[in-house]
Amino acid sequence: MTDKPTTEDWKTLADKEVKGRDLTWHTPEGFAIKPLYTEEDSADPGLPGFAPFTRGVKASMYAGRPWTIRQYAGFSTAEESNAFYRRNLAAGQKGLSVAFDLATHRGYDSDHPRVVGDVGMAGVAVDTVEDMKILFDGIPLQDMSVSMTMNGAVIPVLAFFIVAGEEQGVDQAQLSGTIQNDILKEFMVRNTYIYPPEPSMRIVSDIIAYTSENMPRFNSISISGYHMHEAGATAVQELAYTIADGKEYVQRAMAAGLDIDKFAGRLSFFFGIGMNFFMEVAKLRAARKLWYHVMDDLGAKQDRSKMLRTHCQTSGVSLQEQDPYNNVIRTTIEAMAATLGGTQSLHTNALDEAIALPTDFSARIARNTQIVIAEESGIANVVDPLGGSYYVEALTQQLFEDASKLIKEVDDLGGMTTAVASGLPKQRIEEAAAAKQARVDKGEDVIVGVNKYRKDEEDPIDTLEVDNHKVRESQIARIRRNREARDEAKCRAALEALTEGAKADGNMLALAVEAARQRATLGEISDAMEAAFGRYDTVPTPVKGIYGKAYAEDDRYRQVVEGVEAVERRLGRKPRLFVAKMGQDGHDRGANVIASAFTDMGFEVVSGPLFQTPEEAQKMAIENDVDVVGASSLAAGHKTLIPELIQHLKGAGRADIKVVAGGVIPPQDYEFLKSKGVQGIYGPGSNVVEAAADVLRLLGHNMPPVGDELEAAE
């Protein structure tokens, strides 16, 4: 009988096979991943359903009840979205997740001049109770779990939902679902805030208090790491800052006099799931363990208060414009990671969402991805099938330990509200995003069909297009009818009571529900609170040095830097780029990465404030005497906002300022934009160094050809 092989025997054999090459893989989190894990690396994870819930919050998990299949959707008008929901429910979807347009997110009615290009474009426009009633027409709210991704205008949206339920004959106590209500992450990454941090935190507490008393089936907050993930956070950052956000919300609610065990069981979480399969599985397991310890330390007594329940969504940032059918594969891998990690519900992104809203065709594939996993893969038949994996348990423990250190850092700063105000979490995430983009551009992180195995010519795909002008006109007409039909005196009295309650200590959700009953619009309810709190604005401050450090030895990068220096000698100053974010889209990862990278390459970069109008962007471009405006678009407003900017520049006599566009722009829109004067277009997957080389050509510098490297998307 031969002796059992040892780890040393394996190492000797492996070294011989790879001729001594180091097989260690270093992750963006800084983890040194060994090629082999053994029992020595593993920790005992316990059992499902028992503290600290590493293996799941239910003993039976999916063997007893599968996860809820959701689709995050909403576009155009309430009628269009309602029809889409009903088709999806008939096809096997089990819960609704509502996407609102950016005008709604930012507390503006559709008739507001600041939202001309945003209405109905990245979600459904909801201005009134009537819109909410139409949205759920024919969908029994006493039976349907509804998740609403809303933070900035959370008060009017939840008030409209409550009143729509009442008028459907459904008492508040019967309503089930989740409102996101996670404002801290908005100040970090997504930026669809309205009010300053302190009153925003009070709104969160008011909603927790109101729902705890009146809506026992409704989750009052969904603490979201998803948008941190999309902004470029590592798994450790997403995990730590999300748990720290949750800890802050609980402490604020307790400070307001609420019993932790009365509300904690209705808190839920929301994580993004990326392409590092085992890391994502381990992230959800570590999250449950972390939350258990946080809540135990805060004094929770009931197990239910210490259980982390989460929704997950497959990564949007992993979706690519190039070779888009690869996105089906990416989403499948991510969906399997979420389910093997133990999510309670899941949304799977559609293959075309890198460039547009999903079509019925692509949404069906995304939904069926979940159905096939649930019905055909066998994953749902075994509780935590990866539990006990040496690798998964080691990753879970390392994530737990590293995230605990970041949470302690936040605690030492005075909590997450203070940490967010300091800008530290945002800076850390932006550094991670810039480093990630540099690795992709250099080919160190392989993206199939983008920086490796790229097709010579992309195949066109059909995408959904919303007629922004038509939607806005119909919404304005509905707002007008709403105002004509209501009792104006009662509506004004309810809005004034809301303002006074916001100034004092009234529960703002309770006051807004009364205003909604009197047919106040979303913008009017938001304005009533703005009268007490003011509106919050910031200007991005992109990180520096990350991109340049990653490219220190790269020849093509050096060529671009030399090109920038040549243009500087000719102009007598650095070439000047204005990165403009127009419309109400607050996602600024792309804009910040561009600003960071171009600064490292030697450009002088002017970062505009978020939420500019085209006219405001034009004035800032001229005031700063820029050479190029880079318009960043992620929310489908590009066909309205960018041509308007160009017209304003021409009208001001500055047609010489070049305008380029980047972000989520469907290829079929490229010719339209070029016909309006856009001189360069850089979609998802564009190489940033080559984009800079292209901008230098626009400025008259003869850049050497790229050779065998990636061409800039044009």
Side-chain angles (χ1 to χ4, degrees), residues 369-538:
T369 299
Q370 293 195 56
I371 295 173
V372 169
I373 291 172
E375 301 288 351
E376 298 185 29
S377 71
I379 283 175
N381 298 331
V382 177
V383 180
D384 188 28
L386 291 182
S389 157
Y390 301 143
Y391 179 36
V392 169
E393 299 302 349
L395 272 182
T396 300
Q397 186 60 25
Q398 190 162 4
L399 280 164
F400 174 82
E401 291 172 0
D402 284 24
S404 294
K405 293 174 185 175
L406 272 189
I407 293 170
K408 184 180 184 306
E409 180 182 66
V410 169
D411 288 342
D412 290 345
L413 286 171
M416 204 59 185
T417 304
T418 305
V420 166
S422 77
L424 181 63
K426 184 177 180 67
Q427 179 183 341
R428 291 266 178 82
I429 292 170
E430 287 181 7
E431 288 172 350
K436 169 70 175 177
Q437 186 63 47
R439 291 194 305 275
V440 170
D441 285 351
K442 291 177 70 178
E444 294 173 354
D445 287 4
V446 172
I447 310 293
V448 174
V450 176
N451 62 5
K452 197 173 184 180
Y453 312 112
R454 186 160 180 175
K455 300 179 72 172
D456 293 333
E457 186 174 334
E458 295 294 335
D459 297 324
I461 62 169
D462 293 330
T463 56
L464 180 70
E465 185 168 358
V466 174
D467 186 336
N468 164 241
H469 297 289
K470 182 178 178 182
V471 174
R472 187 165 185 263
E473 287 171 3
S474 72
Q475 288 300 120
I476 290 172
R478 185 174 292 153
I479 292 169
R480 185 170 57 249
R481 290 195 299 271
N482 176 84
R483 288 177 176 148
E484 289 170 351
R486 71 191 183 188
D487 185 320
E488 194 64 26
K490 288 182 178 179
C491 180
R492 288 295 144 200
L495 289 169
E496 288 168 11
L498 175 56
T499 299
E500 292 308 309
K503 290 177 179 177
D505 59 355
N507 185 290
M508 286 176 279
L509 179 54
L511 292 165
V513 168
E514 182 55 33
R517 290 180 181 130
Q518 301 305 327
R519 287 326 193 244
T521 68
L522 176 131
E524 290 168 340
I525 292 172
S526 298
D527 287 347
M529 292 186 289
E530 186 178 337
F533 303 140
R535 185 171 276 264
Y536 185 75
D537 288 302
T538 58

Side-chain angles (χ1 to χ4, degrees), residues 335-372:
M336 291 182 69
T339 55
L340 287 167
T343 190
Q344 274 62 60
S345 67
L346 179 63
H347 163 80
T348 33
N349 289 327
L351 68 96
D352 47 4
E353 287 189 75
I355 52 176
L357 291 166
T359 61
D360 277 5
F361 170 78
S362 66
R364 182 174 185 271
I365 293 172
R367 182 177 57 255
N368 283 356
T369 299
Q370 293 195 56
I371 295 173
V372 169

Side-chain angles (χ1 to χ4, degrees), residues 244-308:
D245 278 355
K247 181 178 181 179
E248 182 89 344
Y249 292 133
V250 170
Q251 289 174 315
R252 290 299 184 106
M254 292 171 69
L258 297 179
D259 181 338
I260 188 171
D261 285 311
K262 291 288 179 62
F263 69 85
R266 304 251 41 104
L267 305 182
S268 67
F269 286 78
F270 175 25
F271 287 99
I273 303 295
M275 284 297 289
N276 186 348
F277 183 84
F278 291 103
M279 186 73 77
E280 298 299 336
V281 172
K283 183 176 75 182
L284 297 185
R285 302 170 95 251
R288 289 191 288 270
K289 185 174 179 179
L290 275 167
W291 188 242
Y292 170 82
H293 286 289
V294 165
M295 294 300 282
D296 194 53
D297 289 345
L298 290 175
K301 303 300 182 188
Q302 298 175 8
D303 271 356
R304 179 173 170 76
S305 301
K306 305 175 191 179
M307 293 177 180
L308 180 144

Side-chain angles (χ1 to χ4, degrees), residues 11 39 99 121 127 146 158 187 196 217 228 257 283 294-295 341 363 392 395 424 444 458 539 552-553 560 567 587 630:
K11 189 176 186 307
E39 189 174 0
M121 295 304 286
D127 297 305
V146 177
L158 188 49
F187 292 110
R217 299 178 62 202
M228 301 180 207
K283 183 176 75 182
V294 165
M295 294 300 282
V392 169
L395 272 182
L424 181 63
E444 294 173 354
E458 295 294 335
V539 178
E553 308 299 325
V560 171
V567 172
H587 292 89

